[in-house]
């Protein structure tokens, strides 16, 4: 087994609203269910590629509800959808915004108008050429989502001519370019006709400009993608989700394989070329096979979410839980050993220098039962049952819940572990009367605004209600540069640990693996299967 443990590349998001004439030479929601992923081997892969052709068989843990990326932040949608769809802008390996379907873009001096010059000759999978009509229709549809509204606000897309569009926003924003390049719930460009026929649940035809076209979707079995012969790659070197995307294999199959052992055994037997999201206890089995490459990659915060509409609307009760938890115990229960987690108060990885801060560290891992008892008494807790919602479908969430239950029982709280399959948990967590706590994972984001639990204006389970969060998020949008934005974020992270809408117990790393015959594989917020060959 060849282990590849890739660190997080330095975050260099260049998003100043005063940026003008950003040409093509210029360089996120919780992810188990909702949001975008981490980066490991994100840049150019210089290993020697094999011959073109062949098929990649992917063992993937879950089937998506849709392939329309406008409608959800779920990884299960994002990962296969980025084979089909592309965006005006993309993030390179350093998280810099760079053009993709846009040839060029320019931000007006007041920051309220962004003009995009579109690449010409770009074909959709149905053979039609992409024009500004398609872009305006697609972006208008995407702009109606709560994700776009909360991050961009009121805005309008206007077609200037066949290959020029403008985005008009009411208020200049430091983060707007990044939101347009964000891989989670991404702003995919589709044919206008497909958009016009979309229902409330999303589009029914999955037609994009990406390197692969959807050939077939057999529900509960697989999705079959085929090489798009008319794909027009960019010429810049591949980097993250940006740059060249050379289509070197003929087909990609996403097989839905929820059972972890089957994903491992299928990889070892050669049935699958790539297996995603593997269990930590399966690594020794992979270690024994020299033909397997293992990727250990940063995922993001493991979070305990409080239902603020119930008893945990009292901040004293939330603080009691925070002081009662031994974060290392929870992380070890969930992720087995420090090779697979990173303790600390920050929502960001240490290499994300633009945002990483230890603000709030004095409240991170106190493990102080006396202080916990003081807060419990201040809340007037009188033996009420604490319902901990969880699922065995994600063992790390279940094990986190069990460790938390033990800590709360030690504090003298009355708890109940309420266990469901993950789909049912998603339904129940939207019911304000159904539970008090649940665990979920969030992927590492490139700006604070993609963490839905920070924004009181989003109806996300847990129902954060803190105007200070909202004001600080808005201040970051109006920042003049990254230094000012980080100073504001440090204040926001301190407020996070004071108010505790969630408890960030630490950041997890995740495991995927692929055979030695797969050459050129990279991952950037989900696996990339362009620029890849199979022998």
């Amino acid at each position: 087994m060849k282990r590849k443990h890739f660190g997080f590349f330095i975050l260099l998001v260049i998003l100043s609203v005063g940026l003008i004439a950003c040409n093509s030479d210029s360089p996120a929601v919780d992810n188990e269910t909702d949001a975008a992923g981490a980066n490991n081997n994100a840049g150019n892969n210089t290993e020697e590629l094999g011959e073109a052709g062949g098929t990649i068989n992917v063992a993937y843990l879950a089937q998506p509800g849709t392939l329309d990326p406008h409608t959800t932040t779920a990884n299960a949608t994002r990962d296969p959808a980025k084979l089909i769809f592309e965006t005006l802008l993309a993030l390179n390996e350093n998280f810099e915004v760079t053009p993709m379907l846009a040839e060029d873009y320019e931000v007006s001096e007041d920051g309220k108008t962004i003009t995009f010059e579109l690449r010409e000759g770009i074909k959709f999978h149905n053979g039609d050429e992409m024009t500004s009509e398609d872009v305006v229709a697609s972006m208008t549809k995407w702009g109606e989502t709560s994700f776009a509204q909360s991050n961009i606000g009121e805005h309008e897309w206007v077609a200037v001519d066949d290959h020029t569009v403008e985005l008009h926003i009411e208020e200049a924003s430091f983060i707007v370019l990044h939101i347009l390049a964000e891989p989670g719930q991404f702003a995919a460009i589709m044919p206008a006709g497909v958009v016009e026929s979309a229902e409330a649940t999303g589009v029914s035809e999955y037609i994009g400009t990406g390197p692969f076209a959807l050939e077939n979707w057999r529900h509960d079995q697989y999705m079959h993608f085929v090489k798009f012969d008319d794909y027009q790659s960019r010429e810049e070197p591949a980097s993250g989700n940006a740059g060249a995307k050379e289509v070197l294999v003929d087909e990609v199959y996403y097989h839905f394989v929820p059972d972890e052992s089957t994903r491992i055994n299928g990889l070892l037997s050669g049935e699958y070329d790539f297996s995603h999201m593997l269990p930590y206890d399966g690594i020794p089995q992979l270690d024994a096979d020299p033909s397997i490459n293992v990727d250990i990659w940063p995922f993001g915060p493991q979070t305990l979410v409080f239902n603020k509409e119930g008893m945990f609307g009292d901040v004293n009760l939330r603080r009691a839980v925070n002081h009662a938890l031994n974060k290392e115990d929870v992380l070890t229960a969930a992720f087995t050993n420090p090779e697979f987690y990173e303790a600390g108060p920050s929502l960001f990885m240490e290499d994300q220098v633009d945002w990483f801060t230890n603000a709030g560290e004095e409240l991170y891992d106190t493990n102080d039962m006396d202080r916990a008892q003081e807060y419990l008494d201040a809340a007037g807790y009188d033996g009420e049952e604490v319902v901990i919602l969880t699922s065995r479908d994600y063992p790390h969430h279940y094990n986190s819940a069990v460790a938390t239950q033990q800590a709360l029982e030690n504090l003298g709280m009355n708890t109940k572990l309420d266990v469901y399959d993950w789909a049912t948990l998603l339904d129940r967590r939207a019911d304000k009367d159904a539970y008090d706590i649940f665990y979920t994972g969030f992927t590492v984001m490139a700006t604070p605004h993609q963490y839905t639990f920070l924004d009181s204006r989003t109806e996300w389970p847990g129902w954060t209600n803190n105007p200070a969060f909202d004001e600080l998020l808005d201040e970051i949008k109006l920042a003049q540069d990254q230094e000012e934005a980080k100073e504001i974020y440090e204040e926001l992270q301190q407020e996070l640990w004071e108010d505790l809408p969630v408890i960030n117990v630490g950041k997890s790393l995740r495991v995927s693996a692929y055979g030695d015959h797969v050459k050129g594989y990279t991952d950037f917020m989900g696996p990339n299967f362009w620029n890849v060959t199979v022998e």
Side-chain angles (χ1 to χ4, degrees), residues 80-147:
K82 69 177 181 175
L83 297 177
I84 304 172
F85 299 109
E86 295 179 306
T87 49
L88 291 173
L89 306 174
L91 298 179
N92 68 14
E93 65 189 56
N94 294 321
F95 282 78
E96 296 167 321
V97 174
T98 186
M100 177 51 69
L101 289 177
E103 184 66 41
D104 195 0
Y105 64 92
E106 181 176 330
V107 182
S108 64
E109 188 172 351
D110 65 2
K112 296 183 179 181
T113 300
I114 306 174
T115 303
F116 297 89
E117 298 296 334
L118 306 179
R119 295 166 62 196
E120 298 188 23
I122 300 298
K123 295 288 187 66
F124 287 109
H125 300 151
N126 62 5
D128 293 343
E129 183 176 346
M130 180 191 73
T131 69
S132 57
E133 179 186 6
D134 305 301
V135 172
V136 169
S138 299
M139 297 306 293
T140 300
K141 173 179 174 294
W142 173 81
E144 294 171 351
T145 65
S146 59
F147 174 79

Side-chain angles (χ1 to χ4, degrees), residues 28 36 91 147 178-187 445-446 450 525:
L91 298 179
F147 174 79
H178 182 86
I179 297 302
L180 296 176
E182 172 64 40
Q185 198 164 0
F186 65 88
M445 306 297 184
Q450 279 71 66
M525 294 189 167

